Amino acid sequence: MSYEMYEPVIGLEVHVQLQTDSKIFSPDVPTFGATPNSHVDPVSLGHPGTLPVLNETVVEYALRLGLATNCSIAPRSVFARKHYFYPDLPKGYQISQYDTPICYDGYVEVFPEEDAGDEQEPAGSASKRVGLTRIHMEEDAGKSIHQEHGPTRLDFNRCGVPLLEMVTEPDLRTPHEAHLFLRRLRQLVRYLDISDGNMEEGSLRCDANVSVRPRGREQFGTRTELKNMNSMSHVEQALDYEITRQIAVLETGESVEQQTLLWDPNAGTTRPMRSKEEAHDYRYMPDPDLVEVEVDDEMIEDVRADLPELPRARRQRFIDDVGLPPYDARVLTEDRAVADYFETALDQLYKRTKGGDTDAQAKLVSNLVMTEVMRVLNERTIPIDELPVGPERLAQLAFLRVQEKVSSNGAQDVFEIMLDETDKSAGKIADERDLIQVTDPDAVAPVVDAVIDDHPDQVKTYLDGKEGLLGFFIGQVMERFDGSPDPELVREMLREKLEARGDAVEESE
Ligand code: ADP
Ligand code: MG
């Protein structure tokens, strides 16, 4: 019914699985997709008498994320036991943080206008701040593998894998904003090199809390919590569905029940999982086996100094210093590896050109990356470091374009061949395949003359006003030419010579 009369309110709880060499409290190696129960030391299994020892890298990664999201850092924070019974939790409690998270009171900015994907996007578009209540460290639980026929199986490999849990303020107002937030967060954890941020594989997991209220009312409505969305579009779809459901409930005069719901991606609906538990159900208590985590200013400054250039700053630099349009800058900085690739290629090109119109050169490399490179990455679904054409070789190709040795079509052909003939430079390929552009009018003229001579009927039709035929003549010249004539030169020469024919006919008449 009337979506316009209600305003959704959304807050997210996100778990980020960290890429560390060992688990959070033991030397076990975290792995994805390993043989079940092959990485289960006694600490991971919660054997009595074992003691957890904190992995310092987890603290460092928490600080990276906290500083990159403008959080305050707690000088002291405590690990707590969160008790609950579930077969995939052999200890009977999860080690987490409760009243003293390591990071708190931060925010992430999203940019709804830019992310609309408009090529004419504004340079300084409006942003929206999404508040972060907290980020805390905790251990993951194992995995229950439910089988359709037969017993449920348990894989404890994931027990003790380090997680950062991030809780947002209820600041999001649409399912799309929730999607954008997750995209920015995934981008950030990848830039920070703390997680691969892959939702499909569970290294980024999101629960969504949502309620609706009549527009204009300040007080929030009763919320439900949605689980089991393993992609960003699932999060968006599940929220859409749930908002519509809650509005329908309110419209019939009933009230929304506070509960936890599971998203069913096949049915496209949510269904109740359990009524929501309260914090006191977990009997939180400080973990007596672990000391307080102390973070001093020196440590914070060390981590801050090591932070990479963050996506937003890099995008702005691509606009201000590199001279790219805002759209290009955003697309190229979306992924850190792509941005690195672009910058390496551009540096290599600058080394060759030693000056000239550097903005135009940047745009040239940007075009090659955004069209050729990204197309192949999408087609082959590979990361950029597996592309057979590295940034150095892309710079060779860009240099051929700067020197106008190949046409833009020629460059596409050369790139395609470079993917297969990985031991050859762009120049060698262009040479071997006759893709070096011929810009000498004396070489092009005889072929143009011959084509005109051989097509008297088409020449007449052209001269009678059917100028669209020019493309036909260009095609003929390109086909007949032994090599690759500059298309602009061919076009201009054909125009001139055809017109000259016309004048000659008029004179003789
Ligand atoms: P709990 O941990 O008990 O589930 P929290 O207070 O930690 O509850 O909130 C969890 C999430 O729910 C947060 O992201 C918060 O922003 C969000 N949230 C809280 N109240 C509402 C509400 N009325 N509507 C939507 N989201 C809410
Ligand atoms: Mg919570």
Side-chain angles (χ1 to χ4, degrees):
M1 211 173 284
S2 43
Y3 212 115
E4 297 78 31
M5 290 172 59
Y6 292 88
E7 181 179 51
V9 171
I10 301 164
L12 303 178
E13 288 172 86
V14 186
H15 287 90
V16 180
Q17 187 177 307
L18 300 180
Q19 274 169 336
T20 48
D21 295 336
S22 55
K23 291 185 178 177
I24 182 168
F25 299 119
S26 74
D28 235 349
V29 181
T31 50
F32 178 80
T35 309
N37 300 309
S38 59
H39 295 275
V40 284
D41 63 16
V43 177
S44 302
L45 291 176
H47 284 192
T50 58
L51 286 173
V53 177
L54 177 60
N55 178 350
E56 280 181 24
T57 308
V58 176
V59 178
E60 188 192 322
Y61 285 9
L63 294 180
R64 271 194 214 171
L65 186 59
L67 292 174
T69 53
N70 318 289
C71 282
S72 302
I73 308 294
R76 286 165 170 272
S77 66
V78 173
F79 279 106
R81 292 182 178 181
K82 178 181 181 179
H83 298 85
Y84 64 97
F85 172 79
Y86 203 73
D88 64 20
L89 187 74
K91 281 205 300 286
Y93 60 86
Q94 177 193 23
I95 305 180
S96 181
Q97 295 195 294
Y98 182 48
D99 40 20
T100 57
I102 184 162
C103 310
Y104 58 97
D105 278 354
Y107 64 88
V108 168
E109 277 181 304
V110 294
F111 300 85
E113 286 173 37
E114 287 168 24
D115 289 313
D118 186 354
E119 293 207 19
Q120 299 306 318
E121 74 185 30
S125 54
S127 71
K128 171 178 178 125
R129 278 189 186 188
V130 181
L132 297 180
T133 318
R134 57 188 283 151
I135 301 173
H136 72 243
M137 304 176 279
E138 64 182 26
E139 61 178 345
D140 209 345
K143 221 175 184 164
S144 303
I145 302 160
H146 302 291
Q147 306 179 99
E148 205 164 321
H149 306 286
T152 290
R153 300 191 162 168
L154 293 166
D155 177 6
F156 292 128
N157 282 348
R158 220 175 58 182
C159 288
V161 167
L163 301 178
L164 294 179
E165 179 178 327
M166 181 181 243
V167 181
T168 79
E169 291 290 302
D171 286 346
L172 297 156
R173 290 292 172 268
T174 65
H176 182 62
E177 279 180 10
H179 186 143
L180 292 183
F181 173 84
L182 288 171
R183 236 165 71 188
R184 291 292 143 240
L185 181 62
R186 181 180 61 186
Q187 179 188 38
L188 197 56
V189 300
R190 288 179 176 171
Y191 263 74
L192 296 171
D193 209 11
I194 62 176
S195 169
D196 66 23
N198 190 328
M199 278 194 88
E200 285 74 13
E201 289 178 3
S203 16
L204 198 71
R205 305 198 278 270
C206 171
D207 299 339
N209 292 268
V210 56
S211 61
V212 297
R213 62 180 171 188
R215 276 192 199 275
R217 188 195 298 172
E218 205 171 318
Q219 198 190 350
F220 291 152
T222 305
R223 70 184 143 129
T224 56
E225 182 173 358
L226 309 180
K227 288 183 178 289
N228 196 40
M229 294 89 67
N230 59 2
S231 75
M232 296 191 190
S233 53
H234 281 180
V235 172
E236 200 170 338
Q237 286 167 34
L239 282 167
D240 265 328
Y241 175 86
E242 180 59 13
I243 289 164
T244 309
R245 188 192 70 84
Q246 288 188 9
I247 292 174
V249 169
L250 295 178
E251 288 282 311
T252 59
E254 288 174 40
S255 48
V256 172
E257 191 191 334
Q258 177 159 348
Q259 59 183 341
T260 301
L261 301 161
L262 276 188
W263 168 246
D264 179 343
N266 298 318
T269 58
T270 54
R271 58 188 158 78
M273 181 169 110
R274 57 170 192 243
S275 64
K276 181 132 185 62
E277 60 286 288
E278 303 284 338
H280 61 248
D281 295 332
Y282 292 123
R283 290 153 33 244
Y284 278 104
M285 58 174 253
D287 192 312
D289 289 340
L290 287 157
V291 295
E292 282 187 349
V293 182
E294 287 184 32
V295 179
D296 59 21
D297 289 348
E298 195 188 331
M299 192 167 169
I300 294 175
E301 289 323 311
D302 282 352
V303 173
R304 199 193 301 278
D306 271 355
L307 286 182
E309 185 181 27
L310 297 179
R312 194 66 200 167
R314 196 167 198 184
R315 175 182 182 276
Q316 205 55 47
R317 182 168 59 78
F318 278 14
I319 298 170
D320 297 341
D321 300 353
V322 183
L324 288 178
Y327 175 81
D328 294 49
R330 182 171 60 75
V331 172
L332 292 173
T333 53
E334 200 62 53
D335 184 287
R336 182 178 171 183
V338 170
D340 289 344
Y341 179 101
F342 166 78
E343 285 211 86
T344 310
L346 188 57
D347 279 347
Q348 296 291 334
L349 178 62
Y350 286 163
K351 283 202 181 111
R352 291 172 166 81
T353 56
K354 300 192 179 77
D357 185 347
T358 51
D359 283 8
Q361 290 165 20
K363 181 62 182 146
L364 179 66
V365 176
S366 166
N367 285 345
L368 284 172
V369 174
M370 292 201 307
T371 56
E372 305 311 314
V373 170
M374 288 194 175
R375 175 179 53 77
V376 174
L377 299 185
N378 285 333
E379 281 167 9
R380 303 189 179 183
T381 53
I382 50 168
I384 199 161
D385 55 311
E386 283 170 30
L387 187 78
V389 178
E392 161 68 18
R393 290 174 79 228
L394 193 81
Q396 297 167 353
L397 181 58
F399 192 44
L400 293 180
R401 284 289 294 137
V402 172
Q403 297 168 298
E404 294 187 33
K405 282 194 176 169
V406 295
S407 66
S408 93
N409 280 336
Q412 284 175 18
D413 293 343
V414 173
F415 182 80
E416 214 51 41
I417 300 162
M418 289 173 87
L419 291 168
D420 295 325
E421 306 189 359
T422 51
D423 56 331
K424 288 184 189 156
S425 70
K428 186 162 166 55
I429 289 171
D431 210 16
E432 280 178 5
R433 304 287 174 124
D434 272 344
L435 290 166
I436 297 287
Q437 184 160 257
V438 177
T439 50
D440 175 8
D442 291 344
V444 177
V447 184
V448 170
D449 286 334
V451 165
I452 291 176
D453 286 342
D454 289 353
H455 297 89
D457 293 348
Q458 283 88 346
V459 171
K460 189 169 181 311
T461 318
Y462 176 86
L463 291 174
D464 285 346
K466 194 146 185 276
E467 301 204 346
L469 266 181
L470 191 63
F472 163 79
F473 289 111
I474 296 174
Q476 289 292 314
V477 174
M478 301 306 254
E479 202 168 289
R480 241 186 239 198
F481 200 93
D482 188 19
S484 305
D486 176 356
E488 267 318 298
L489 176 66
V490 172
R491 173 186 301 273
E492 281 316 304
M493 195 177 279
L494 269 167
R495 252 206 207 112
E496 267 168 38
K497 286 185 184 280
L498 283 164
E499 237 142 69
R501 283 294 158 105
D503 295 344
V505 173
E506 262 168 37
E507 265 164 40
S508 70
E509 271 170 1

